[in-house]
C-alpha cells in the first residue's frame, strides 16, 4: 500500500530527494521550503500535503506564455526572496540598476568652490606668516620736528654693512671684513604716487648737518650745534631714527617708512631667486676690496657676486656716485627678476625668496605688507619705463671734502615730490 499522494511514489519523486532531476522544471518546495508561500494544507492521513509547482511557484500546466499558470511569480523574479529588488542588468531583469549620468554642472561647481576655499586659506595663511616675519624695530615716533607729509609715499631704503648672521668663512667669501657694529653702505629715497615712482640715491659722502635730536635709546635731547658730517655718520651715531631725522631736516621731505637690509640678507635674496642678470659695462669691473671681478657683457650674478657688484666703488671713475647708479640698476633688476612668473608661480622658489627677504629686513613699526608690496612694485616700475632713477643733485665738494648738494635743485625736487608731480629735475 502506497501512503504517498498520487504521483509521489518512491520511484517517481523526480529523481529522489536531494539527488537532482533531469526534468526542465525546478525542484519542488520540498527541496526549497523557504520559498513556500501561503498557509500549509491540513495534513491528510498523517502525511503532510506536499505543495505542487503551482502552489509554490505559480507554475501551471498550459502552453505558450501562460503555460506556467499566469507567468513566473514576480516576487521571485524581483529578488524578494533574497531581500534585494531592482530591475538592473540586461533586459531590465535582476542585478543592479544603471548608474545615472554624472552631473557635470554640480561637479564643476563643487570643484570651483573647493579651489576657491583652498586658495583663500593659502593666501590668508601666507599673509599672516609673512607679516609675522617682519622685524619692526624702528620707531619713527621718536623722530622730532618732522616736515609736513605731502602727496604719495616716501620710503628711505638703507643697505647696511651689518655682518650679523655671517660666519667667519662667509665674511671671507663675501669680502665684508669683520668690523663691529654696522654702518650705512647705501641710502635711497623711493617716492611712489600718481606721478610715477622716483628712486633717488643719497651718496654716503653727502655733506649734511646733524640737527637737534632725541636719542633713540637714552631719550635725551641732543641740541644741534651745526656739525657738518657725512650722511652715513648720522646712522653710525644713533641709528635709523637719527638718520631719518637728518634726511628730513636737510631735505624738508617727510619720510613715511624705513626699510633696511644687511649684507647677508641681500646675498640670500639673490640666491633664492636663482641669480640676477645684469649688464657689466665695457671694460669690465675688478675691485680687490669688494671682491668684484667681472668681464664686460651680460652676466647672471649669484649672491656673492651681486654683493661685490653693489659695493664696488674704487674701480669706478665716479667712485661713490657711480656706485649709487649701479646699486639702483641692480635693485631694479632684482625686483624685476623676483616678479617673473617663474618665481611668483613657483612655491618652491617664492617662499624661500620671501623668507630670505623678510628674515633680514628691518622696518619701522607702522610698515605693513601692503606698504612693502607698494615699495617692491615701484622699484620694478623704475626700470619698466614708468619711473625715474637719479642721484640727488650735487654741485661739487664742500670745504671739508664731502659732496655738496645743489641747494636750488634739491628744493625743486622736493617740491615736485611733495606735490606728487612727475620729476623733471636732473642730477647734473
Amino acid at each position: 500500500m502506497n501512503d504517498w499522494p498520487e504521483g509521489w511514489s518512491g520511484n517517481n519523486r523526480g529523481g529522489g530527494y536531494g539527488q537532482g532531476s533531469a526534468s526542465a522544471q525546478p525542484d519542488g518546495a520540498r527541496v526549497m521550503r523557504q520559498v513556500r508561500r501561503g498557509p500549509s494544507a491540513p495534513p491528510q492521513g498523517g502525511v503532510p500535503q506536499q505543495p505542487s509547482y503551482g502552489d509554490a511557484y505559480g507554475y501551471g500546466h498550459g502552453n505558450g506564455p501562460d503555460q506556467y499558470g499566469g507567468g513566473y511569480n514576480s516576487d521571485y523574479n524581483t529578488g524578494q526572496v533574497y531581500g534585494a529588488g531592482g530591475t538592473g542588468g540586461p533586459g531590465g531583469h535582476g542585478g543592479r540598476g544603471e548608474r545615472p549620468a554624472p552631473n557635470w554642472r554640480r561637479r564643476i561647481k563643487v570643484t570651483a568652490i573647493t579651489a576657491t576655499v583652498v586658495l583663500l586659506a593659502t593666501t590668508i595663511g601666507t599673509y599672516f606668516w609673512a607679516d609675522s616675519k617682519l622685524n619692526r624695530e624702528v620707531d619713527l615716533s621718536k623722530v622730532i620736528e618732522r616736515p609736513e607729509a605731502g602727496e604719495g609715499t616716501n620710503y628711505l631704503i638703507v643697505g647696511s654693512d651689518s655682518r650679523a648672521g655671517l660666519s667667519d668663512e662667509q665674511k671671507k667669501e663675501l669680502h665684508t671684513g669683520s668690523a663691529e657694529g654696522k654702518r650705512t653702505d647705501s641710502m635711497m629715497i623711493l617716492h611712489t604716487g600718481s606721478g610715477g615712482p622716483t628712486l633717488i640715491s643719497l651718496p654716503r659722502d653727502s655733506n649734511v648737518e646733524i640737527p637737534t635730536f632725541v636719542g633713540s635709546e637714552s631719550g635725551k635731547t641732543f641740541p644741534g650745534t651745526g656739525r657738518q658730517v657725512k650722511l652715513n655718520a648720522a646712522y653710525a651715531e644713533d641709528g635709523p631714527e637719527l638718520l631719518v631725522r637728518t634726511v628730513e631736516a636737510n631735505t624738508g621731505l617727510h619720510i613715511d617708512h624705513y626699510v633696511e637690509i644687511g649684507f647677508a640678507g641681500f646675498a640670500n635674496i639673490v640666491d633664492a631667486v636663482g641669480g640676477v642678470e645684469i649688464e657689466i659695462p665695457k671694460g669690465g669691473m675688478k675691485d680687490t676690496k669688494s671682491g668684484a671681478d667681472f668681464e664686460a657683457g651680460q652676466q647672471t650674478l649669484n649672491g656673492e657676486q651681486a654683493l661685490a657688484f653693489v659695493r664696488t666703488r674704487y674701480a669706478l671713475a665716479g667712485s661713490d656716485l657711480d656706485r649709487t647708479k649701479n646699486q639702483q640698476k641692480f635693485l631694479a633688476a632684482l625686483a624685476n627678476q623676483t616678479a617673473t612668473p617663474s618665481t611668483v608661480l613657483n612655491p618652491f622658489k617664492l617662499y624661500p625668496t620671501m623668507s630670505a627677504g623678510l628674515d633680514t629686513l628691518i622696518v619701522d613699526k607702522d610698515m605693513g605688507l601692503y606698504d612693502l608690496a607698494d615699495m617692491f612694485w615701484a622699484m620694478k616700475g623704475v626700470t619698466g619705463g614708468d619711473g625715474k632713477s637719479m642721484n640727488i643733485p650735487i654741485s661739487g665738494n664742500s670745504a671739508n671734502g664731502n659732496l655738496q648738494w645743489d641747494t636750488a635743485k634739491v628744493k625743486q625736487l622736493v617740491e615736485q615730490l611733495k606735490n606728487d608731480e612727475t620729476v623733471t629735475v636732473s642730477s647734473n
Side-chain angles (χ1 to χ4, degrees):
M1 180 178 178
N2 187 355
D3 292 331
W4 289 92
E6 183 181 355
W8 281 86
S9 65
N11 295 325
N12 61 359
R13 283 179 287 165
Y17 180 75
Q19 297 180 6
S21 172
S23 172
Q25 294 181 347
D27 290 340
R30 185 171 179 272
V31 177
M32 301 176 64
R33 295 177 180 271
Q34 69 272 23
V35 302
R36 198 167 49 203
R37 294 173 179 83
S40 301
Q44 298 177 2
V47 178
Q49 175 67 42
Q50 302 301 312
S52 68
Y53 281 100
D55 291 334
Y57 294 93
Y59 284 95
H61 300 285
N63 294 319
D66 295 326
Q67 63 178 318
Y68 298 111
Y72 191 72
N73 190 309
S74 62
D75 287 343
Y76 183 83
N77 181 47
T78 58
Q80 291 185 13
V81 171
Y82 303 97
T87 58
H93 299 290
R96 299 173 62 182
E98 292 184 5
R99 180 177 297 177
N103 187 336
W104 289 108
R105 180 177 296 180
R106 181 176 181 276
R107 289 189 180 186
I108 293 173
K109 182 178 180 180
V110 170
T111 301
I113 292 175
T114 302
T116 301
V117 170
V118 171
L119 178 62
L120 184 61
T122 302
T123 302
I124 293 174
T126 299
Y127 176 87
F128 284 105
W129 167 77
D131 187 72
S132 68
K133 294 179 77 67
L134 278 178
N135 300 311
R136 297 182 173 92
E137 298 178 8
V138 180
D139 188 357
L140 296 184
S141 67
K142 295 179 180 179
V143 180
I144 62 174
E145 301 177 17
R146 309 192 66 185
E148 184 179 350
E151 299 294 327
T153 304
N154 299 309
Y155 300 88
L156 181 59
I157 303 172
V158 175
S160 77
D161 64 359
S162 171
R163 281 83 172 166
L166 293 176
S167 65
D168 291 338
E169 183 179 353
Q170 289 174 317
K171 290 177 184 178
K172 185 177 180 180
E173 290 177 353
L174 298 176
H175 299 270
T176 65
S178 299
E180 295 297 328
K182 58 181 180 178
R183 287 147 295 277
T184 50
D185 208 51
S186 61
M187 290 157 284
M188 303 177 190
I189 293 175
L190 175 65
H191 174 84
T192 67
S194 59
T198 303
L199 186 61
I200 307 162
S201 285
L202 308 176
R204 56 184 287 180
D205 294 339
S206 297
N207 190 65
V208 295
E209 178 181 331
I210 299 294
T212 298
F213 69 96
V214 174
S216 59
E217 297 295 332
S218 66
K220 179 181 177 181
T221 299
F222 296 88
T225 60
R227 284 186 298 142
Q228 305 286 313
V229 299
K230 293 180 179 180
L231 181 57
N232 64 346
Y235 183 96
E237 187 171 331
D238 198 52
E241 287 83 2
L242 179 55
L243 178 61
V244 171
R245 168 74 175 121
T246 302
V247 170
E248 289 187 340
N250 284 267
T251 63
L253 185 67
H254 182 89
I255 299 299
D256 298 288
H257 293 293
Y258 178 92
V259 181
E260 177 187 328
I261 188 169
F263 284 163
F266 181 80
N268 288 341
I269 293 174
V270 174
D271 285 335
V273 298
V276 175
E277 195 173 273
I278 201 77
E279 178 75 24
I280 304 298
K282 185 177 180 180
M285 183 184 296
K286 189 168 184 177
D287 184 357
T288 56
K289 291 190 176 182
S290 69
D293 188 4
F294 310 118
E295 294 182 357
Q298 199 79 8
Q299 296 189 37
T300 298
L301 307 184
N302 61 24
E304 177 185 342
Q305 295 169 325
L307 188 58
F309 177 79
V310 299
R311 293 182 62 221
T312 294
R313 62 170 175 164
Y314 295 104
L316 306 175
S319 188
D320 202 38
L321 292 178
D322 282 348
R323 179 172 73 161
T324 57
K325 294 177 182 178
N326 282 341
Q327 290 171 345
Q328 291 176 346
K329 181 168 69 172
F330 188 87
L331 288 177
L334 174 60
N336 191 64
Q337 173 68 24
T338 306
T340 58
S342 62
T343 299
V344 176
L345 300 180
N346 183 355
F348 298 103
K349 205 170 184 181
L350 175 63
Y351 284 96
T353 301
M354 292 177 63
S355 182
L358 296 172
D359 277 342
T360 53
L361 284 180
I362 296 176
V363 300
D364 64 272
K365 293 184 180 296
D366 295 325
M367 186 80 162
L369 290 179
Y370 173 81
D371 303 306
L372 200 60
D374 176 61
M375 182 192 79
F376 173 81
W377 287 108
M379 289 184 65
K380 182 177 181 296
V382 168
T383 56
D386 298 328
K388 180 177 182 178
S389 61
M390 60 183 289
N391 279 324
I392 197 163
I394 301 294
S395 61
N397 292 330
S398 61
N400 58 9
N402 300 334
L403 295 174
Q404 186 64 49
W405 293 352
D406 187 321
T407 306
K409 284 189 173 182
V410 170
K411 183 178 180 180
Q412 183 184 0
L413 172 63
V414 170
E415 285 301 313
Q416 289 178 340
L417 295 177
K418 280 185 174 181
N419 296 326
D420 203 16
E421 300 171 354
T422 301
V423 172
T424 60
V425 178
S426 64
S427 300
N428 301 323

